[in-house]
Amino acid sequence: SDHEIASSYFNRDNLSGNFINIVFQDKDGNERKLTDKKTRIRSVNFLRDIFRKTGTGYLLYSVSDRDSNRDNELNHADLEALYISKIDGTGFKKLTKELHEFYDWSLIKGEIRMYFRTLEDKNRVGEINNQDQFHYYFLHFSGDSYSLTKYNPLKIFE
């Protein structure tokens, strides 16, 4: 709703809050919106380690982009998707599949990969529950491009 209270937090590489859109400005002062889609951006993370290794800056976004729980509002109660763009906002692209909740991500020191997990809303209720299933992916960065790969982690039995 238009009456939600939005707060934000910013540090060197992370921005979190409740944003409808982000505007990028180039060195000449020209402005461009990140997207024309209706979204709620929850967080933005600069992949500084990837930038150091590849020379290309990427931003990761945690976004609600659809009314998954069908309450006629786009807010924190809807499923969260993972998006990526270049540092200037170009190439804004969804990485998670539809009806997958972005769960978490990590970078492993020394690698040029970013690993993340999603939870698939198997019963399509728009909320995560114990019937849902994890999926595992990694982004491999090389130069000014990346590739997305799904993988199955080794299962350790106790």
Side-chain angles (χ1 to χ4, degrees):
S1 83
D2 292 336
H3 303 296
E4 288 184 28
I5 296 173
S7 62
S8 64
Y9 168 78
F10 172 75
N11 73 20
R12 183 175 179 203
D13 295 334
N14 306 308
L15 174 67
S16 62
N18 183 16
F19 309 100
I20 295 171
N21 211 334
I22 297 175
V23 176
F24 291 82
Q25 186 176 55
D26 67 20
K27 63 183 179 185
D28 297 324
N30 300 312
E31 293 184 348
R32 189 180 54 73
K33 291 190 305 183
L34 177 65
T35 183
D36 290 325
K37 294 179 183 179
K38 185 176 180 182
T39 63
R40 289 291 180 156
I41 301 169
R42 300 178 189 191
S43 67
V44 183
N45 293 281
F46 174 52
L47 299 179
R48 185 169 301 277
D49 287 343
I50 299 301
F51 175 70
R52 286 185 182 132
K53 289 179 176 64
T54 66
T56 303
Y58 291 96
L59 298 173
L60 283 182
Y61 305 83
S62 173
V63 176
S64 291
D65 62 357
R66 64 182 292 172
D67 180 20
S68 60
N69 63 1
R70 298 178 290 281
D71 67 355
N72 296 317
E73 292 186 36
L74 188 57
N75 57 30
H76 67 279
D78 293 305
L79 294 178
E80 195 172 334
L82 180 65
Y83 281 74
I84 192 170
S85 80
K86 297 271 179 95
I87 189 106
D88 63 358
T90 59
F92 185 62
K93 181 179 178 185
K94 186 173 185 172
L95 297 173
T96 50
K97 293 184 177 184
E98 288 301 316
L99 295 174
H100 281 230
E101 166 88 348
F102 166 56
Y103 192 76
D104 61 4
W105 66 278
S106 65
L107 287 169
I108 296 178
K109 195 169 183 86
E111 289 196 24
I112 52 173
R113 288 183 178 175
M114 187 215 72
Y115 295 84
F116 68 95
R117 295 188 292 177
T118 65
L119 268 170
E120 180 182 2
D121 182 14
K122 295 286 276 185
N123 54 3
R124 299 182 174 270
V125 296
E127 296 175 352
I128 297 303
N129 57 44
N130 62 2
Q131 296 176 8
D132 299 325
Q133 176 184 2
F134 273 109
H135 296 271
Y136 300 84
Y137 302 87
F138 67 82
L139 284 174
H140 179 80
F141 297 91
S142 96
D144 64 351
S145 66
Y146 62 86
S147 59
L148 177 64
T149 303
K150 183 174 183 179
Y151 73 98
N152 294 316
L154 295 176
K155 299 193 185 229
I156 300 171
F157 299 99
E158 296 180 26

